[in-house]
């Protein structure tokens, strides 16, 4: 190990010789006779590790010399110990203020001298080591921050990729209502699902999968599987073979997946004409069926995890759906979460929640979400959560007749109840009712002239996708083009004091506000109202305040 270098600065030759003899065996020594020589010799590389500086010297004294030393960035960190015969405290304080680390009083005590030199050299070495470590840490931190930034970009790109693959809108069907919840436990999730209606084939596919863990790795795995499934979906619609489809997905997944990835997947396809549900399972969670007030799991079907073996076979089973059936498809998070306020498990709590079918489908679905939060104490849950609710509601087609507004009120109550079962939102139901009210009142007052022996026929066709009402009276009819727009004519009517004409055209204008189309027959005594239902969207967040505000 190389010996430290000490620069001795003293104009007294005897002092320098004494110090030289004391220290030559321990350190590399340099001698300077005055301050000027000190400044020159201190910048010779390697720089001195320590300077012993006499205070009283000609040309430049010790105080001025240290002041100049501290101005040079190259050597300002070299520790300086003053050598002095002075005992004046003010001089000692001045030396410390100028940057000296210590002082020694002449004549020297050899033991004290060596101890102080060793201490300050050790301190200097420690400071150097700390400085190097700090630099290393700063470089390491800089590299770490760069990697974190790269990782954030990677995660954000993965999130955007997954977001682009996650289904956001649910297909509207005539006889089925569908609700869906997707809540990853982190920014990225390992659950994946698909709800797809065939463009030409009258079929619906529902798929739900769960990759191991959650976060970045599972999200990449789920995105990979989603892309594989989408690429092969056409084959499923054509073949209607869920077992073969899972086998093909499994083979494709094994080609590109890591060796230790074993996602689960449940898959079903529903024939929308026959209402037969055919399903296969790759060790996923079996859906629950709510039928006639009882909740139970559908019949098990054999099938290993995806990624286990290219030779894995997947069986298929069929289930005949009945009107008013409700199916729940879900990931294992809803069965395994820990309840915080109750003595029963998440599975028991979930099954209790599912057995409640009191409101319209979307209200029931939101109630389930709220119960998750209430019983678990948190949302999202600790694991990625996916829940799909499928209601087979059928289509309602009915004809009514009435000759009074009181009879119409009971008919409207029944229609509203049907609209709720078909999961039309309350704001839409209000608009539908207002528009229908106006045209039924028109038929009663203007068409039938309020004559009790004349009837009005109301035909309703309500599906989960759209609705139509046809109102027919026994009057002489009219040309709707001859009816003034109430907005344009209201001022003229008011100024002419013809208030009996104030209501003319109002019913048609109001109905146009709430319906997509209005069509009259040639005679003008029958009007048909049509309206499409607003599309459903996947629930991606839990807005507790909104649910409480709506009284759900």
């Amino acid at each position: 190990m190389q010996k430290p270098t000490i620069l001795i600065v003293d104009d007294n030759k005897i002092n320098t010789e004494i110090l030289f003899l004391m220290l030559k065996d321990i350190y590399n020594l340099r001698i300077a006779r005055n301050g000027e020589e000190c400044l020159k010799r201190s910048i010779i590389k390697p720089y001195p590790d320590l300077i012993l500086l006499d205070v009283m010297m000609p040309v430049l004294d010790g105080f001025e010399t240290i002041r100049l030393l501290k101005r040079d960035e190259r050597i300002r960190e070299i520790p300086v110990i003053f050598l002095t015969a002075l005992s004046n405290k003010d001089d000692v304080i001045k030396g410390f203020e100028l940057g000296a680390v210590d002082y020694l009083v002449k004549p020297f005590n050899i033991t004290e001298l060596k101890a102080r030199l060793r201490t300050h050299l050790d301190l200097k070495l420690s400071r150097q080591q700390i400085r190097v470590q700090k630099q290393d840490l700063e470089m390491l931190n800089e590299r770490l921050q760069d990697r974190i930034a790269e990782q954030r970009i990677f995660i954000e790109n993965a999130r955007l990729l997954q977001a682009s693959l996650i289904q956001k809108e649910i297909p509207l069907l005539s006889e089925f209502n569908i609700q869906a919840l997707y809540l990853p436990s982190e920014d990225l999730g390992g659950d994946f699902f698909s709800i797809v209606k065939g463009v030409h084939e009258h079929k619906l596919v529902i798929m739900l999968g769960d990759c191991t863990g959650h976060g970045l790795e599972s999200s990449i795995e789920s995105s990979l599987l989603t892309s594989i499934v989408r690429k092969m979906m056409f084959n499923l619609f054509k073949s209607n073979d869920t077992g073969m489809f899972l086998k093909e997905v499994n083979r494709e997944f094994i080609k590109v997946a890591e060796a230790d990835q074993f996602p689960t997947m449940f898959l079903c396809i529903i024939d929308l004409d026959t209402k037969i549900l055919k399903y296969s399972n790759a060790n996923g969670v079996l859906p629950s069926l709510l039928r006639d007030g009882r909740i139970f799991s559908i019949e098990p079907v054999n099938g290993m995890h995806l990624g286990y073996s290219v030779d894995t076979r997947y069986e298929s089973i069929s289930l005949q759906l009945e009107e008013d059936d409700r199916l729940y498809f879900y990931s294992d998070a809803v069965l395994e979460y820990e309840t915080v306020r109750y003595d029963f498990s998440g599975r028991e709590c979930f099954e209790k929640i599912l057995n409640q079918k009191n409101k319209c489908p979307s209200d029931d679905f939101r109630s389930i979400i709220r119960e998750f939060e209430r019983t678990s104490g948190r949302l999202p849950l600790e694991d990625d959560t996916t829940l799909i609710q499928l209601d087979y509601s059928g289509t309602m087609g009915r004809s009514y007749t009435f000759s009074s507004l009181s009879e119409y009120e009971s008919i409207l109550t029944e229609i509203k109840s049907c609209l709720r079962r078909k999961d039309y939102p309350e704001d839409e139901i209000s608009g539908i009712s207002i528009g229908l009210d106006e045209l039924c009142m028109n038929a009663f007052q203007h068409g039938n002239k309020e004559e009790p022996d004349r009837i009005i026929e109301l035909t309703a066709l309500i599906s989960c996708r759209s609705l139509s009402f046809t109102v027919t009276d026994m009057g002489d009819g009219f040309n709707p083009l001859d009816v003034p727009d109430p907005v344009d004519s209201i001022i003229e009517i008011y100024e002419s004091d013809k208030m009996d004409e104030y209501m003319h055209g109002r019913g048609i204008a109001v109905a146009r506000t709430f319906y997509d189309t209005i069509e009259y027959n040639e005679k003008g005594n029958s009007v048909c109202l049509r309206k499409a239902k607003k599309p459903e969207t996947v629930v991606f967040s839990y807005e507790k305040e909104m649910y409480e505000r709506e009284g759900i």
Side-chain angles (χ1 to χ4, degrees):
M1 181 177 178
Q2 188 175 3
K3 294 187 291 185
T5 298
I6 294 178
L7 174 59
I8 301 170
V9 187
D10 197 326
D11 62 325
N12 188 311
K13 186 176 180 180
I14 296 175
N15 288 339
T16 57
E17 289 179 353
I18 292 172
L19 288 170
F20 187 86
L21 291 173
M22 290 179 176
L23 304 174
K24 67 176 182 176
D25 295 331
I26 308 172
Y27 304 108
N28 293 322
L29 300 174
R30 296 180 191 171
I31 306 295
R33 302 298 181 184
N34 52 56
E36 287 185 344
E37 285 188 22
C38 171
L39 295 175
K40 293 177 181 178
R41 293 176 181 267
S42 61
I43 60 174
I44 298 173
K45 292 184 179 180
Y47 301 135
D49 296 296
L50 185 142
I51 298 175
L52 291 172
L53 180 60
D54 187 24
V55 175
M56 303 301 294
M57 294 185 297
V59 186
L60 288 176
D61 64 12
F63 298 132
E64 185 61 26
T65 301
I66 191 173
R67 186 180 290 110
L68 295 172
L69 285 171
K70 295 302 179 182
R71 289 180 183 175
D72 193 325
E73 293 288 341
R74 296 171 293 177
I75 54 176
R76 64 183 307 173
E77 299 298 327
I78 299 174
V80 177
I81 298 177
F82 272 131
L83 305 175
T84 180
L86 303 174
S87 59
N88 187 306
K89 288 185 178 179
D90 291 339
D91 290 333
V92 173
I93 292 172
K94 182 178 179 181
F96 283 128
E97 289 177 345
L98 290 171
V101 297
D102 207 343
Y103 72 95
L104 289 168
V105 179
K106 302 173 185 178
F108 311 116
N109 180 293
I110 183 62
T111 303
E112 179 185 5
L113 172 64
K114 290 181 177 180
R116 294 202 183 195
L117 289 176
R118 184 168 57 251
T119 297
H120 288 292
L121 287 170
D122 288 345
L123 287 173
K124 179 178 181 290
L125 179 61
S126 296
R127 284 194 296 271
Q128 288 176 333
Q129 290 174 340
I130 292 172
R131 190 179 298 111
V132 170
Q133 290 173 353
K134 181 183 177 183
Q135 292 173 347
D136 290 343
L137 286 173
E138 287 174 349
M139 291 177 61
L140 181 62
N141 183 61
E142 186 176 341
R143 289 197 296 269
L144 183 60
Q145 292 301 321
D146 289 342
R147 292 192 64 182
I148 290 174
E150 292 172 359
Q151 192 76 354
R152 284 175 177 167
I153 293 172
F154 181 76
I155 291 173
E156 178 62 13
N157 289 337
R159 189 190 67 79
L160 291 174
L161 172 62
Q162 187 174 47
S164 69
L165 294 173
I166 293 173
Q167 184 171 344
K168 299 175 179 62
E169 192 167 289
I170 300 169
L172 281 176
L173 305 171
S174 296
E175 299 182 83
F176 290 87
N177 280 305
I178 308 174
Q179 319 290 327
L181 166 74
Y182 177 76
L183 277 182
S185 60
E186 300 177 6
D187 289 340
L188 295 164
D191 284 3
F192 58 98
F193 71 96
S194 188
I195 308 168
V196 183
K197 181 182 180 299
V199 177
H200 303 294
E201 298 77 16
H202 207 217
K203 299 171 185 175
L204 176 73
V205 168
I206 297 180
M207 176 200 70
L208 193 153
D210 188 356
C211 296
T212 306
H214 42 82
L216 179 59
E217 291 185 4
S218 61
S219 74
I220 294 174
E221 185 179 335
S222 69
S223 297
L224 176 63
L225 262 174
T226 301
S227 63
I228 291 173
V229 167
R230 286 189 178 181
K231 182 178 67 174
M232 303 173 63
M233 187 68 72
F234 181 77
N235 297 339
L236 177 59
F237 281 114
K238 285 297 185 183
S239 68
N240 206 50
D241 191 336
T242 54
M244 180 58 68
F245 181 78
L246 277 185
K247 185 175 182 178
E248 292 172 354
V249 169
N250 178 55
R251 285 178 175 175
E252 290 297 315
F253 180 71
I254 289 176
K255 290 179 183 177
V256 294
E258 299 290 338
D260 59 346
Q261 293 179 332
F262 305 106
T264 64
M265 183 188 295
F266 177 87
L267 170 72
C268 72
I269 185 167
I270 302 172
D271 187 311
L272 298 176
D273 293 322
T274 64
K275 310 303 183 295
I276 293 176
L277 181 148
K278 188 175 183 180
Y279 63 95
S280 299
N281 192 21
N283 212 29
V285 180
L286 286 172
S288 294
L289 173 63
L290 179 58
R291 175 180 288 176
D292 299 327
R294 294 193 311 114
I295 187 78
F296 52 90
S297 294
I298 63 175
E299 183 180 349
V301 56
N302 293 330
M304 290 294 296
H305 291 74
L306 299 176
Y308 185 75
S309 169
V310 292
D311 299 321
T312 301
R313 299 175 62 85
Y314 298 93
E315 297 179 358
S316 299
I317 294 181
S318 294
L319 171 68
Q320 179 65 60
L321 296 179
E322 299 176 6
E323 191 164 337
D324 211 33
D325 277 352
R326 174 177 286 178
L327 274 164
Y328 292 101
F329 307 81
Y330 43 88
S331 55
D332 56 8
V334 301
L335 301 177
E336 298 173 355
Y337 76 91
E338 295 183 4
T339 57
V340 294
R341 302 182 184 178
Y342 304 93
D343 295 332
F344 41 82
S345 66
R347 177 185 289 272
E348 293 169 326
C349 183
F350 181 60
E351 290 176 351
K352 182 179 178 182
I353 294 170
L354 296 190
N355 209 27
Q356 301 173 4
K357 186 179 181 183
N358 303 314
K359 306 175 184 178
C360 71
S362 59
D363 286 352
D364 286 345
F365 190 72
R366 287 183 172 86
S367 295
I368 292 173
I369 299 174
R370 192 172 68 173
E371 283 299 299
F372 280 157
E373 195 276 339
R374 189 172 70 88
T375 56
S376 69
R378 56 168 291 177
L379 270 185
L381 301 176
E382 292 183 358
D383 196 3
D384 302 326
T385 306
T386 303
L387 174 65
I388 299 170
Q389 175 182 295
L390 176 74
D391 285 90
Y392 174 23
S393 301
T395 298
M396 188 274 272
R398 192 164 301 174
S399 293
Y400 306 91
T401 58
F402 62 94
S403 58
S404 67
L405 293 181
S406 60
E407 291 176 333
Y408 166 70
E409 287 298 327
S410 64
I411 294 171
L412 182 62
T413 299
E414 182 178 329
I415 288 174
K416 285 183 177 179
S417 178
C418 177
L419 289 171
R420 291 187 180 94
R421 289 196 303 273
K422 306 299 182 193
D423 205 40
Y424 283 79
E426 285 298 325
D427 60 336
E428 285 196 54
I429 292 175
S430 297
I432 291 167
S433 301
I434 292 170
L436 186 60
D437 284 349
E438 291 292 334
L439 294 188
C440 285
M441 288 176 62
N442 277 355
F444 179 70
Q445 294 175 346
H446 301 296
N448 287 355
K449 309 298 183 183
E450 301 188 24
E451 295 181 12
D453 58 334
R454 290 187 171 188
I455 64 170
I456 297 169
E457 183 177 350
L458 171 60
T459 302
L461 181 62
I462 304 173
S463 76
C464 301
R465 183 174 184 173
S466 61
L467 59 82
S468 67
F469 297 115
T470 302
V471 181
T472 307
D473 61 51
M474 300 181 67
D476 297 329
F478 73 105
N479 185 352
L481 298 177
D482 295 337
V483 178
D485 188 328
V487 177
D488 295 335
S489 60
I490 187 169
I491 295 176
E492 180 183 344
I493 293 171
Y494 183 79
E495 290 177 347
S496 65
D497 198 27
K498 297 179 180 179
M499 295 305 293
D500 58 321
E501 298 183 16
Y502 177 76
M503 304 298 286
H504 287 190
R506 192 193 73 170
I508 298 174
V510 171
R512 285 194 179 118
T513 302
F514 296 109
Y515 287 84
D516 299 331
T517 62
I518 301 179
E519 298 175 359
Y520 285 87
N521 66 354
E522 185 176 352
K523 182 179 179 180
N525 71 328
S526 181
V527 58
C528 181
L529 306 171
R530 290 189 175 88
K531 181 177 180 62
K533 185 180 177 184
K534 293 179 181 177
E536 296 285 351
T537 56
V538 179
V539 178
F540 288 99
S541 63
Y542 173 68
E543 302 174 31
K544 179 179 179 182
E545 294 77 9
M546 182 189 74
Y547 297 153
E548 291 178 345
R549 186 169 62 249
E550 294 179 354
I552 297 173

